[in-house]
Amino acid sequence: MVPASLWRSLVTYLGALSRRRRQAIIVDSTGLEGFINTRSAHVAQTALYGYLRTRSGTRFPELFTDDRFVESINIAKWQVWLACISDLAVYSGCELRRLTGAPPAAVTRLMESVVARILESNGTPGDAGSDYGPGADRVRSRISMCDWQVTDNEDAAFAQSPAALVKWAPVTDDLKELDEEIVLNSVRFRWHEVKRELRSGLRGDDVLVAFQRNAGTKG
């Protein structure tokens, strides 16, 4: 029998596909943090569960009665989420610099703060596996080293989330090889609406000024 908690998760997942979000207007780093966190979770969840559901067909619910599969999918969902956070944070930072012309160091400080709060708010999930900590460190490192000039090359900004789904999805290697191009493109496609929403709603100058004011107050 499929656990009730699983059914609740699936209902949430399926409902998320059909609900339309109101346009986000982002005027400070807290708003940017929420945008990156929620949109990354949505892309990670729909991409992973969508791939597994497509691959398994009507057997999809049955897979969750297998403890080893449940363990694998929990690890996968957090790894894909980390990759989504990384990609969307890079793209957001690039958009901030494009909109404001701010020095790269200022964008780095802001985006490091945003990503740190996202990661801290989630802690270390108990079902994320031993690779979660190193994965989170790689996100922090990527943000710290980013040059914030890859907006014109969106494949560079969104390089990690498609690859993470291929790597971590609990699907056999021979099937992954057959599916790879389709899976990569499906994740890239899921980012289109998120990118449009960010470009439409991000008020770069407001975000930067609010962050600098808050940092000065704390200092």
Side-chain angles (χ1 to χ4, degrees):
M1 183 175 181
V2 180
S5 59
L6 168 62
W7 283 120
R8 287 194 294 270
S9 296
L10 294 180
V11 168
T12 300
Y13 153 63
L14 294 171
L17 295 178
S18 61
R19 288 194 298 269
R20 293 180 62 85
R21 291 186 296 261
R22 288 185 296 177
Q23 171 65 55
I25 303 300
I26 304 167
V27 298
D28 55 26
S29 63
T30 300
L32 184 58
E33 174 191 344
F35 181 88
I36 293 173
N37 198 357
T38 56
R39 275 43 171 195
S40 294
H42 180 78
V43 170
Q45 185 176 354
T46 55
L48 177 60
Y49 281 94
Y51 179 34
L52 296 176
R53 188 176 60 169
T54 299
R55 254 296 160 205
S56 57
T58 58
R59 294 185 56 251
F60 181 58
E62 298 175 15
L63 297 176
F64 290 86
T65 62
D66 183 330
D67 290 343
R68 292 182 63 186
F69 177 81
V70 172
E71 180 180 357
S72 296
I73 197 172
N74 284 333
I75 291 171
K77 73 181 180 185
W78 287 113
Q79 289 295 329
V80 176
W81 176 77
L82 284 172
C84 287
I85 293 291
S86 181
D87 284 355
L88 187 52
V90 166
Y91 187 76
S92 299
C94 291
E95 279 295 292
L96 274 170
R97 187 173 186 208
R98 183 184 67 82
L99 290 169
T100 66
V107 178
T108 296
R109 286 192 297 271
L110 192 158
M111 295 311 303
E112 283 179 333
S113 175
V114 166
V115 168
R117 292 200 304 269
I118 292 172
L119 295 176
E120 289 167 4
S121 70
N122 283 277
T124 301
D127 57 357
S130 60
D131 290 311
Y132 181 85
D137 288 341
R138 285 191 294 273
V139 177
R140 297 185 185 96
S141 178
R142 186 184 182 198
I143 298 305
S144 296
M145 298 174 63
C146 189
D147 64 10
W148 311 115
Q149 296 182 32
V150 297
T151 303
D152 293 334
N153 182 4
E154 294 183 2
D155 287 343
F158 292 95
Q160 296 194 2
S161 51
L165 180 57
V166 173
K167 177 179 179 179
W168 292 98
V171 174
T172 59
D173 289 341
D174 57 333
L175 292 177
K176 284 183 182 180
E177 186 174 351
L178 291 172
D179 299 338
E180 182 172 6
E181 184 175 356
I182 294 173
V183 173
L184 293 174
N185 287 333
S186 73
V187 180
R188 295 179 186 123
F189 177 79
R190 292 175 193 277
W191 285 119
H192 288 340
E193 176 63 18
V194 177
K195 290 185 287 186
R196 184 207 64 78
E197 192 178 6
L198 181 70
R199 289 193 298 266
S200 177
L202 181 62
R203 306 295 186 258
D205 288 325
D206 290 342
V207 172
L208 194 63
V209 168
F211 176 75
Q212 292 173 337
R213 181 187 304 119
N214 187 50
T217 300
K218 289 181 178 180

